[in-house]
C-alpha cells in the first residue's frame, strides 16, 4: 500500500493590531511605586518564513506615584521578565543592552548603583513630569515558537526611591503582567509524511485469519503556530486493488484498516470525524498512523501491486479552537 498526504498551509491573520498594556499599580501604604502603559504595532510575524521582526521601537509610558510636591517617587530601577517560557531569543533592550530576563537569571537592582542591563530613571524634582516615555527596542528572531492568537506577557521587577517622607523600596518588587505585547502571529503550518512506507509486502501466502497480525506504522509530522484540524479519506474506501482492478469485486480487493488520532477507519466505517488539535509548535510533533491488514492474499487475483491512496488534510484552525483542541501527539 502506498500513501499520499496533502497539506493545506493557509496563513490566517489572527490579530489586527498590537497592544502593550502594563497593569497599573498604586502605592501601598507609604511606599514609592510606579505604573505604566504603552501601545505599539509591530506588524505580522510568521515563525516559519521571513527574517523575524528586528529592532522594533517600543515606547514604555511610566508614571511615578506622586502624593504631593514633596512626597513622591524620585527614582526607579527595573528590568522585565518573561511571564511565559519557551521564548528564547526574544529580546527587549534599553540603550543597547538587553533588559529582559528568564528567572532565576537577573541583575541586582539598585537606584544608587544601577547596573547595565537594567532601566534606570530619575524623575527629577516636583516640577518635572510625573509621566515619562522610556524608549525600548523589541526583537523577535526567525523561528520563535510564538502561539497564534496569544499575547506575550512580561512582568516588571523594580526598586524605587521615595522622597518627602515616602519610603523607598529596596526589595525587588514584581508588577505582575506589567507589559502585554500582542503580536500578529500568523497561523502558519507545515506538514509532511515522516515515517517508513506503509507497505505490507508480499501477502500471497497470508490467510484471512493471519491478516490482522500484519501491521505497518508511520508518522505524520506537523509544525504549527496555532491549532489545526485533521481529516482523512481513502480513494478506494480502505480497500487496496491493482491497476485496472475493481475494489467492488472481492477477488480484486484487499481490505485494511487505519488507526489514526484515536479513530479506526475501514470500509465498514470509512468516515473520519474531524479532529481539532492544539498547536504543534515550531519544533513540531509526530502523529502516529497504523495500518492493519484485514484480508489475506488467498483467492485474490495475482498482481505485483495492490494499493490504495490516503489523503490527509491538515488545515490551520481559527485560534479560539485552542480552548477545545486536544494533544494529538498523544492519540
Amino acid at each position: 500500500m502506498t500513501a499520499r498526504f496533502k497539506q493545506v498551509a493557509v496563513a490566517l491573520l489572527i490579530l489586527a493590531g498590537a497592544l502593550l498594556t502594563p497593569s497599573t499599580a498604586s502605592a501601598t501604604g507609604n511606599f514609592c511605586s510606579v505604573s505604566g502603559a504603552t501601545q505599539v504595532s509591530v506588524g505580522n510575524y510568521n515563525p516559519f518564513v521571513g527574517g523575524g521582526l528586528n529592532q522594533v521601537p517600543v515606547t514604555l509610558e511610566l508614571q511615578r506615584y506622586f502624593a504631593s510636591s514633596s512626597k513622591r517617587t524620585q527614582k526607579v530601577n527595573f528590568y522585565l521578565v518573561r511571564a511565559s517560557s519557551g521564548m528564547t531569543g526574544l529580546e527587549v533592550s534599553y540603550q543597547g543592552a538587553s533588559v529582559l530576563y528568564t528567572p532565576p537569571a537577573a541583575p541586582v537592582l539598585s537606584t544608587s548603583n544601577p547596573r547595565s542591563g537594567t532601566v534606570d530613571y530619575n524623575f527629577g524634582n516636583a516640577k518635572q513630569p510625573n509621566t515619562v516615555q522610556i524608549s525600548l527596542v523589541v526583537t523577535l528572531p526567525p523561528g520563535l515558537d510564538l502561539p497564534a492568537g496569544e499575547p506575550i506577557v512580561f512582568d516588571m521587577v523594580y526598586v524605587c526611591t521615595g522622597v518627602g517622607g515616602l519610603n523607598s523600596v529596596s526589595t525587588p518588587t514584581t508588577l505582575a503582567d506589567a507589559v502585554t505585547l500582542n503580536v500578529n502571529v500568523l497561523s502558519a503550518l507545515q506538514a509532511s509524511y515522516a515515517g517508513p512506507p506503509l507497505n505490507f509486502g508480499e501477502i500471497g501466502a497470508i490467510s484471512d485469519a493471519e491478516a490482522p497480525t500484519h501491521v505497518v506504522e508511520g508518522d505524520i509530522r506537523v509544525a504549527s503556530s496555532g491549532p489545526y484540524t485533521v481529516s482523512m479519506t481513502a480513494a478506494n474506501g480502505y480497500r487496496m486493488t491493482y491497476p485496472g482492478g475493481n475494489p467492488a469485486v472481492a477477488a480484486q480487493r484487499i481490505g485494511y484498516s487505519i488507526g489514526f488520532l484515536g479513530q479506526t477507519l475501514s470500509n465498514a466505517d470509512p468516515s473520519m470525524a474531524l479532529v481539532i488539535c492544539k498547536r504543534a509548535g515550531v519544533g513540531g510533533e509526530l502523529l502516529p498512523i497504523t495500518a492493519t491488514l484485514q484480508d489475506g492474499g488467498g483467492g485474490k487475483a495475482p498482481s505485483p501491486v495492490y494499493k490504495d491512496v490516503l489523503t490527509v488534510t491538515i488545515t490551520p484552525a481559527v485560534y479560539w479552537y485552542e480552548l477545545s483542541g486536544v494533544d494529538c501527539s498523544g492519540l
Side-chain angles (χ1 to χ4, degrees):
M1 182 178 69
T2 61
R4 181 180 66 197
F5 295 89
K6 176 184 178 182
Q7 70 175 57
V8 180
V10 180
L12 300 179
L13 178 62
I14 299 304
L15 299 175
L19 174 67
L20 275 106
T21 308
S23 58
T24 301
S26 58
T28 302
N30 194 41
F31 294 90
C32 63
S33 68
V34 293
S35 59
T38 193
Q39 293 186 3
V40 64
S41 177
V42 297
N44 300 333
Y45 182 80
N46 187 332
F48 299 108
V49 179
L53 296 173
N54 189 41
Q55 299 290 300
V56 179
V58 175
T59 301
L60 174 64
E61 190 172 87
L62 199 64
Q63 184 176 12
R64 66 176 169 182
Y65 175 65
F66 190 89
S68 66
S69 60
S70 60
K71 193 174 185 178
R72 62 188 188 275
T73 299
Q74 179 74 20
K75 297 178 66 178
V76 63
N77 185 227
F78 71 90
Y79 56 80
L80 301 176
V81 297
R82 296 178 176 89
S84 301
S85 59
M87 297 183 187
T88 303
L90 186 153
E91 183 178 284
V92 180
S93 60
Y94 173 70
Q95 296 182 348
S98 176
V99 293
L100 179 63
Y101 298 90
T102 301
V108 175
L109 291 172
S110 171
T111 55
S112 61
N113 185 27
R115 306 288 182 87
S116 176
T118 66
V119 179
D120 185 67
Y121 192 83
N122 189 334
F123 286 91
N125 60 39
K127 295 181 180 181
Q128 299 301 313
N130 295 321
T131 300
V132 298
Q133 286 72 43
I134 295 178
S135 296
L136 304 174
V137 174
V138 175
T139 297
L140 282 71
L144 194 63
D145 192 12
L146 297 180
E150 293 185 14
I152 305 170
V153 181
F154 302 137
D155 294 342
M156 178 188 292
V157 179
Y158 72 92
V159 297
C160 56
T161 300
V163 296
L166 189 66
N167 293 324
S168 298
V169 174
S170 58
T171 300
T173 300
T174 298
L175 186 60
D177 301 338
V179 179
T180 301
L181 176 62
N182 288 330
V183 183
N184 293 340
V185 180
L186 303 183
S187 186
L189 180 146
Q190 294 177 339
S192 61
Y193 185 71
L198 297 179
N199 192 335
F200 291 111
E202 172 58 48
I203 60 174
I206 297 174
S207 67
D208 288 348
E210 296 171 329
T213 64
H214 286 70
V215 178
V216 290
E217 300 177 336
D219 294 290
I220 298 174
R221 180 186 178 276
V222 180
S224 70
S225 59
Y228 58 95
T229 62
V230 184
S231 62
M232 182 173 64
T233 60
N236 293 324
Y238 300 96
R239 297 171 297 184
M240 295 182 290
T241 190
Y242 54 87
N246 185 353
V249 178
Q252 298 178 18
R253 69 171 183 248
I254 297 174
Y256 67 96
S257 65
I258 290 290
F260 186 48
L261 297 180
Q263 301 180 49
T264 300
L265 307 168
S266 66
N267 184 252
D269 188 12
S271 298
M272 178 178 177
L274 187 71
V275 179
I276 301 171
C277 301
K278 291 186 176 182
R279 64 184 299 267
V282 173
E285 63 187 8
L286 296 178
L287 309 182
I289 185 169
T290 302
T292 302
L293 199 62
Q294 290 186 323
D295 298 332
K300 305 295 182 181
S303 175
V305 178
Y306 273 78
K307 71 176 182 178
D308 193 8
V309 177
L310 301 175
T311 300
V312 178
T313 303
I314 303 174
T315 309
V318 180
Y319 76 90
W320 53 77
Y321 282 123
E322 178 75 28
L323 299 176
S324 57
V326 298
D327 181 3
C328 289
S329 64
L331 295 179

